[in-house]
């Protein structure tokens, strides 16, 4: 059994890390008043929204390799599941054909 974490978990953790980093940077910039603090009581929502907007393109560029690995891993699993399903269907069809011939 491999101790390597799945590509999906690794990608998700790295994406979350980028978001948390952006959240911290935006919160500091808002506290320093370099970025507007939002309207009224919307400060928290503003900081989170701005962090999401900043982290999305960063993740897209910085995590390309991890995203490709995750895609390859998922497509391999889907192909394996399709192969098993096709094998089960063939086995079931063969058993049905044998039962019809024997009747």
């Amino acid at each position: 059994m491999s101790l390597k974490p799945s590509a999906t978990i690794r990608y998700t953790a790295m994406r979350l890390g980028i978001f948390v980093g952006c959240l911290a940077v935006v919160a500091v910039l808002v506290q320093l008043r370099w970025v507007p603090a939002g309207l009224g009581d919307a400060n928290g929502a503003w900081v989170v929204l701005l962090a999401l907007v900043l982290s999305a393109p960063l993740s897209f560029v910085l995590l390309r390799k991890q995203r490709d690995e995750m895609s390859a891993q998922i497509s391999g699993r889907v192909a394996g599941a399709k192969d098993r399903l096709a094998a089960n269907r063939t086995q079931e069809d063969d058993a049905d054909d044998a039962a019809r011939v024997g009747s």
Side-chain angles (χ1 to χ4, degrees), residues 25-98:
V25 168
V26 169
V28 168
L29 292 176
V30 166
Q31 289 298 321
L32 294 174
R33 305 234 185 257
W34 289 359
V35 174
L39 299 173
D41 295 334
N43 187 24
W46 167 254
V47 171
V48 170
L49 182 64
L50 191 55
L52 281 171
V53 168
L54 291 175
S55 69
L58 285 174
S59 296
F60 184 74
V61 172
L62 297 175
L63 300 179
R64 181 175 313 239
K65 179 184 168 192
Q66 289 77 17
R67 192 173 48 253
D68 290 342
E69 288 176 10
M70 180 181 67
S71 175
Q73 187 180 46
I74 290 171
S75 65
R77 287 182 182 170
V78 168
K82 284 182 179 180
D83 291 343
R84 286 190 304 274
L85 184 60
N88 287 342
R89 284 184 185 157
T90 302
Q91 185 179 12
E92 186 177 302
D93 290 344
D94 291 344
D96 186 45
D97 290 345

